[in-house]
Amino acid sequence: MSVTHDARIRVHKAAATAQRPAVRGWPDVNNPAAWIAAVILLIMPLIANGFFLIEIFATTLILGTIALSLMFLAGYGGMVSLMQLTIAGFAAYMVAVFGVSGNANISLGWPWWLAVPMALTLATIFGTLGGALAVRTEGIYTIMITLAIGAAFYYFTNQNWAIFNGHTGINNVSTPHFWGVDWRWDIPFYYVALAVAAACYCAVDYISRAPFGLALQGVRDNPRRMAALGFNVNAHRVAAYAVASFIAGLAGVLQVWNYRQISPGSVSVGACIDILIIAVVGGISRPVGPYIGALVFVLLRTFALDFLVKIGLDGNRFRLLIGLGFLAIVFWSSDGVIGLWQRWRQSHRPPSDRPGGGRGHG
Amino acid sequence: MTRFVERHPAWALIVIIAVAVALWLIFAVWPPGLEEAIGRKRVFLNAVFNGITLGGLYFLVASGFTLIFGLMRNVNLAHGSLYLFGGYVGYAISASTGSWILSFIAAFVLTALVGVVLQVLVFRRMEGQDLRQTMVTIGLSIVFADLMLWACGGDFYQIQTPNWLIGPIELPLITAVKSSGEPVYLRYPLVRLVIFLASMIIGIAMWLALNRTRIGMIIRAGVDDRDILAATGVRIQIVFVLVFALGAGLAGIAGVVGGTFQSLSPGEDIRFLLASLVVVIVGGMGSIPGAALGALIIGLAEQLGSVYIPTYAIVVTFLIMVLVLALRPQGLLARR
């Protein structure tokens, strides 16, 4: 639970500093809780066994990174995109197609250090093109169009045998192996996932305070005014899609390495919606939210069955539980778990310490 | 129509030529070279008819979706769940009573009731909060999907076609000419034609109700300016409930139709939600004629695509959406 705990403290800290003048340093550097979380995450292999390390924590980091790309678009850009998982899945497919896999007649057999940049480039292009389409519309329309793109990709992978190998997908995708280390072993892979997640987290945190990020937030709050100030609104939005696509692509590469296979099932519409659920449950106003949401989601997905059976219910009702939890979060807190936490802190503190946050995106 | 021709002569010409070619392909006896190039005429005609009747089904789903959105700005992403719920209700009724007509009535009434409950309990509490409505309805669709899976299991259900509609009828369309000079006529399932006619009647009735009656006037006024309408003393909440009930009920009817044409199973809810999304994106949100045009285009594209380019059929649908978005982001028939 260390991740959750730390995140909450960090969130409060960030919220408190939000009232200072716009340009800040790295808020996490002076936050002891952030350091504690970092240390705990780093020594995690000493604490957790292989199952927890990969099935819970590495999966959380990967899903959290995909949800982070959605959070970046939704929280800073005001664009709720449901195709982030599709972009990740596209990158995963591209790794399988360009790299080495069990399907020799599809895979080109490039080494991983060539296949991965290629996959990332193509995924970024794919996501940016999708974004360029989506920014022509606003709000609900964006959701619908990105959902339609995700669904089209899912059905396409199901039908196309030449590149995507139909509904069986591509199996036995090889993972990198150098310096005498197989990077798919539990502990090295955990560190790879952690490094990627940390890099993405820091990048999003940094961009949110860089001129581009500030302009993007301006576009979110008042596009007309930003256009009047001379900013190219659509270019900012498309650029945000490019950044988010790259982040999602990174997570997609990790995902295909994790499972060593990719199939249409992993890019289904339900999975796309799961990413939205993760981001919303965690909270889409801060980069840490998606990781909290992913941890909650993964824990629920893994243990809900046992839990439901224990209290005498049908174990298959996991999605019902997720759906009801999601509904409860959306009904009572517009900013997910971190919003709930913030409200709880507010009710226990003098009003002078009130954070300025609480922009309603939900 | 004339205004469109005046403003976009090039597009009008392309549309007219396309329609003329399509009509020729449907009614003429194909010359032998054409049959060799693109296959037999019977296949083509079947694809066209399947596309048109599928378009009728899409229209039933999408018109409710777009009606609700147009008037209330309510984004009901649980619309697909209403479709599947209607289908299951229709299956249960027709299986227990044996009456196909009754299953339509029951599906309409019950899904309309669910719609009213949704409107009162959910949407009324978050008027104007688009994103929140979207999230809540996504959550609801997950819950509904799991509840229906719980109640009905993962099996495929098909609603029994009534006896008087079973079997094909011969249409006065020549598919080929035998060597003896005797023409072969197209045979097509009667039930699909009847359902298509019914959905056309529903569509025309809806158009008439919206354009020629007082309540239709109120609804159209509400689409344009809800606040002024409320200020003129119309009890707008009642109008909202009625329209929501109608839209949801249409989804329920579509569920019975879909259960007769195709089959009902988990996952169909998302399929039809997406179909109605694409249809209204193409046709224009909030416009009933737009839903009709979009449904026709998407239904035809899907069926013709799956016959002639099976691998890329879904991409054709998607490309149409992209093309429409690129040329007319608001949709083909949206007024804006």
Side-chain angles (χ1 to χ4, degrees):
Chain A
M1 290 309 99
S2 59
V3 182
T4 322
H5 179 65
D6 156 64
R8 288 169 171 179
I9 292 169
R10 196 187 316 174
V11 161
H12 170 68
K13 182 83 180 169
T17 50
Q19 285 170 321
R20 286 189 209 146
V23 182
R24 293 170 279 150
W26 289 91
D28 297 344
V29 173
N30 296 324
N31 186 348
W35 287 104
I36 294 170
V39 169
I40 290 176
L41 282 173
L42 277 176
I43 62 166
M44 187 66 80
L46 299 178
I47 310 167
N49 61 15
F51 169 77
F52 268 85
L53 205 57
I54 294 302
E55 293 296 325
I56 305 292
F57 289 106
T59 311
T60 296
L61 290 170
I62 294 170
L63 284 178
T65 306
I66 303 178
L68 177 74
S69 75
L70 169 58
M71 176 268 141
F72 177 71
L73 285 174
Y76 296 134
M79 303 170 284
V80 180
S81 155
L82 285 181
M83 64 173 181
Q84 295 314 110
L85 182 94
T86 306
I87 295 163
F90 184 78
Y93 262 115
M94 287 304 112
V95 168
V97 166
F98 287 103
V100 182
S101 81
N103 297 71
N105 51 347
I106 288 176
S107 295
L108 298 177
W110 294 5
W112 72 271
W113 46 266
L114 262 179
V116 167
M118 191 69 194
L120 287 177
T121 313
L122 289 176
T124 309
I125 293 172
F126 175 70
T128 313
L129 288 178
L133 199 62
V135 297
R136 298 182 61 87
T137 57
E138 275 186 352
I140 304 311
Y141 299 89
T142 308
I143 294 184
M144 293 181 186
I145 283 156
T146 48
L147 188 63
I149 292 175
F153 184 72
Y154 164 65
Y155 288 115
F156 185 55
T157 53
N158 245 328
Q159 287 174 355
N160 182 301
W161 290 82
I163 308 172
F164 298 106
N165 204 27
H167 59 78
T168 51
I170 300 175
N171 300 309
N172 294 326
V173 178
S174 81
T175 51
H177 195 295
F178 58 95
W179 297 340
V181 181
D182 181 351
W183 291 90
R184 183 54 196 82
W185 286 340
D186 286 357
I187 291 174
F189 184 74
Y190 170 75
Y191 279 118
V192 171
L194 180 63
V196 169
C200 292
Y201 174 86
C202 291
V204 168
D205 201 32
Y206 175 76
I207 291 175
S208 73
R209 284 173 284 110
F212 168 67
L214 293 175
L216 188 64
Q217 292 170 55
V219 166
R220 171 198 66 200
D221 294 335
N222 196 338
R224 219 183 252 182
R225 188 164 166 186
M226 291 303 279
L229 285 172
F231 288 90
N232 187 338
V233 169
N234 270 1
H236 274 78
R237 288 181 172 154
V238 174
Y241 268 101
V243 173
S245 307
F246 185 75
I247 293 172
L250 279 174
V253 172
L254 288 181
Q255 201 172 26
V256 73
W257 283 346
N258 188 15
Y259 297 119
R260 289 208 186 87
Q261 61 102 25
I262 177 82
S263 64
S266 30
V267 292
S268 66
V269 177
C272 289
I273 288 174
D274 283 347
I275 296 296
L276 178 74
I277 292 178
I278 287 172
V280 169
V281 165
I284 49 173
S285 64
R286 260 167 266 287
V288 78
Y291 290 101
I292 301 172
L295 185 66
V296 172
F297 182 82
V298 170
L299 286 174
L300 259 184
R301 188 173 68 180
T302 317
F303 298 112
L305 200 149
D306 297 338
F307 172 74
L308 285 174
V309 170
K310 197 163 281 176
I311 62 168
L313 285 171
D314 186 353
N316 294 325
R317 299 279 76 81
F318 148 73
R319 293 205 68 83
L320 193 61
L321 199 66
I322 290 266
L324 288 175
F326 179 70
L327 271 182
I329 290 269
V330 179
F331 257 102
W332 282 296
S333 164
S334 60
D335 200 13
V337 172
I338 50 179
L340 284 179
W341 165 251
Q342 243 165 288
R343 223 181 300 165
W344 186 80
R345 290 293 291 230
Q346 269 177 34
S347 63
H348 287 259
R349 279 181 175 265
S352 62
D353 200 28
R354 217 160 253 251
R359 310 176 208 99
H361 301 297
Chain B
M1 195 68 178
T2 46
R3 268 183 59 213
F4 178 78
V5 175
E6 275 165 24
R7 281 165 69 191
H8 309 278
W11 280 109
L13 194 66
I14 291 174
V15 169
I16 289 169
I17 291 176
V19 169
V21 169
L23 287 178
W24 182 80
L25 283 173
I26 291 171
F27 288 105
V29 177
W30 286 14
L34 193 61
E35 294 236 320
E36 272 161 33
I38 60 173
R40 302 177 55 190
K41 189 180 174 190
R42 192 171 56 81
V43 177
F44 171 78
L45 277 185
N46 264 318
V48 168
F49 273 79
N50 283 342
I52 293 174
T53 47
L54 184 67
L57 174 55
Y58 282 170
F59 171 73
L60 283 181
V61 194
S63 59
F65 184 80
T66 202
L67 195 65
I68 291 172
F69 179 85
L71 178 63
M72 295 171 267
R73 303 278 138 191
N74 279 351
V75 198
N76 182 14
L77 291 191
H79 200 71
S81 311
L82 293 175
Y83 164 88
L84 192 57
F85 176 72
Y88 280 138
V89 168
Y91 175 79
I93 297 293
S94 80
S96 59
T97 66
S99 167
W100 191 56
I101 300 291
L102 198 63
S103 68
F104 276 97
I105 297 167
F108 181 85
V109 171
L110 280 179
T111 42
L113 278 179
V114 174
V116 168
V117 170
L118 273 183
Q119 213 278 327
V120 171
L121 289 187
V122 179
F123 289 105
R124 190 168 289 182
R125 297 176 48 172
M126 36 189 83
E127 250 170 53
Q129 298 165 283
D130 285 1
L131 285 179
R132 207 154 154 233
Q133 288 176 356
T134 313
M135 307 276 185
V136 168
T137 47
I138 285 179
L140 282 173
S141 70
I142 293 170
V143 171
F144 286 161
D146 206 64
L147 287 175
M148 285 189 284
L149 182 67
W150 198 355
C152 305
D155 297 338
F156 286 82
Y157 292 100
Q158 182 143 26
I159 297 173
Q160 190 70 43
T161 313
N163 285 327
W164 50 279
L165 283 178
I166 286 180
I169 58 160
E170 217 159 69
L171 292 176
L173 290 171
I174 299 167
T175 56
V177 181
K178 282 183 191 164
S179 51
S180 59
E182 194 182 327
V184 182
Y185 291 102
L186 177 75
R187 293 166 68 80
Y188 197 76
L190 178 63
V191 59
R192 295 188 72 125
L193 292 176
V194 168
I195 285 176
F196 175 69
L197 275 182
S199 64
M200 249 172 71
I201 290 169
I202 290 177
I204 291 169
M206 216 150 68
W207 188 85
L208 285 176
L210 279 174
N211 286 282
R212 297 281 182 273
T213 65
R214 196 181 146 71
I215 183 95
M217 194 171 73
I218 291 173
I219 291 172
R220 277 182 299 135
V223 172
D224 289 338
D225 197 331
R226 200 193 315 178
D227 297 337
I228 293 294
L229 178 69
T232 58
V234 173
R235 297 182 64 187
I236 196 157
Q237 292 299 347
I238 292 182
V239 178
F240 279 8
V241 166
L242 285 179
V243 171
F244 212 110
L246 176 64
L250 281 173
I253 287 186
V256 182
V257 172
T260 316
F261 270 20
Q262 304 174 342
S263 60
L264 300 164
S265 65
E268 289 291 292
D269 49 348
I270 289 189
R271 211 192 113 206
F272 274 87
L273 171 67
L274 287 166
S276 44
L277 282 183
V278 175
V279 164
V280 297
I281 288 173
V282 169
M285 279 296 253
S287 147
I288 298 288
L293 181 65
L296 185 67
I297 291 175
I298 297 301
L300 277 174
E302 235 174 63
Q303 291 297 320
L304 286 174
S306 63
V307 169
Y308 290 106
I309 33 172
T311 313
Y312 300 99
I314 194 75
V315 184
V316 174
T317 316
F318 179 68
L319 274 181
I320 290 175
M321 195 183 86
V322 170
L323 201 68
V324 168
L325 276 175
L327 297 173
R328 251 180 98 80
Q330 71 273 39
L332 290 176
L333 291 188
R335 307 163 303 156
R336 229 195 298 172

